[in-house]
Amino acid sequence: MTLYDTIGQGYGGRRRADPRIASQIVRALGSARRVVNVGAGAGSYEPRDRDVVAVEPSRVMLGQRARDAAPAVRGSAMALPFRDASFDASLAILTAHHWPDVARGLRELRRVARERVVVFTFDTAGDGFWIADYFPAIAGLDRRTMPTVAAVARALGGADVVDVPVPHDCSDGFLGAYWRRPHAYLDASVRAAISVFARIDGVDEGVARLQQDLDSGAWQRRWGHLLERDELDVGYRLVVA
């Protein structure tokens, strides 16, 4: 059983592709026509104008894929069931930190791609955003599980790194999506679609502190300047090799 067989219920509704982020991913794929999406989940960010095959280990996530989504196989990033250079490009969207062997998974992405590899990930070397003040265990988990962008680029034999700012009204529900909507993190259904909250301790305490600061105005006094921003760089990156 994978982590997402346990926590993946409802991901299809909360984790919807944001079109602005999707456009950056499409640009990163360039002219690649045949694409494998590894750790594909419910299918967010799979370009509909390409020949896509999805790979996903979780039955729960596979069950949430739309009927018209790309064909999918149940499998692992560590052992992709394809011959060398079977695709023009391989794609991995916010998934590498869940792989038990990141280096092996990245080698597999290289092996099956003829032209390019595109990895959407999070830069643990950055400052992140205010969420760490309320859930400090997130940083520790990221250090243990999230490969640095530099490490991903090295493993891919060198790569371009593209900043992906998060719009204030991001329609995807990943961790950084609600940087300008702090009340969202008080909602248990929002947190349920963000895997880190199922993997750290102290969530209830952090929620209580955030609620208190929002009620007292302390959050607004410290972070209210963000409410004037339309987008924010909170550490998300595209690594394109």
Side-chain angles (χ1 to χ4, degrees), residues 65-94:
R65 295 178 63 83
R67 291 187 177 182
D68 61 348
V73 298
R74 188 164 183 248
S76 166
M78 272 57 66
L80 295 176
F82 308 111
R83 294 191 178 96
D84 294 358
S86 295
F87 300 89
D88 298 324
S90 55
L91 177 65
I93 305 294
L94 296 178

Side-chain angles (χ1 to χ4, degrees), residues 51-158:
D51 181 8
V52 178
V53 176
V55 179
E56 167 58 43
S58 167
R59 294 184 187 276
V60 168
M61 298 304 291
L62 287 170
Q64 295 179 72
R65 295 178 63 83
R67 291 187 177 182
D68 61 348
V73 298
R74 188 164 183 248
S76 166
M78 272 57 66
L80 295 176
F82 308 111
R83 294 191 178 96
D84 294 358
S86 295
F87 300 89
D88 298 324
S90 55
L91 177 65
I93 305 294
L94 296 178
T95 180
H97 55 293
H98 292 302
W99 299 350
D101 187 336
V102 175
R104 183 175 175 183
L106 293 172
R107 287 197 298 271
E108 283 290 274
L109 294 184
R110 290 185 67 183
R111 180 182 66 79
V112 301
R114 282 190 293 270
E115 297 177 8
R116 64 180 57 204
V117 178
V118 177
V119 178
F120 184 33
T121 186
F122 181 81
D123 188 1
T124 57
D127 294 332
F129 71 117
W130 57 262
I131 196 72
D133 288 0
Y134 297 94
F135 305 98
I138 291 175
L141 178 65
D142 283 348
R143 285 193 295 271
R144 294 192 302 273
T145 63
M146 184 79 73
T148 66
V149 167
V152 172
R154 284 196 302 271
L156 296 176

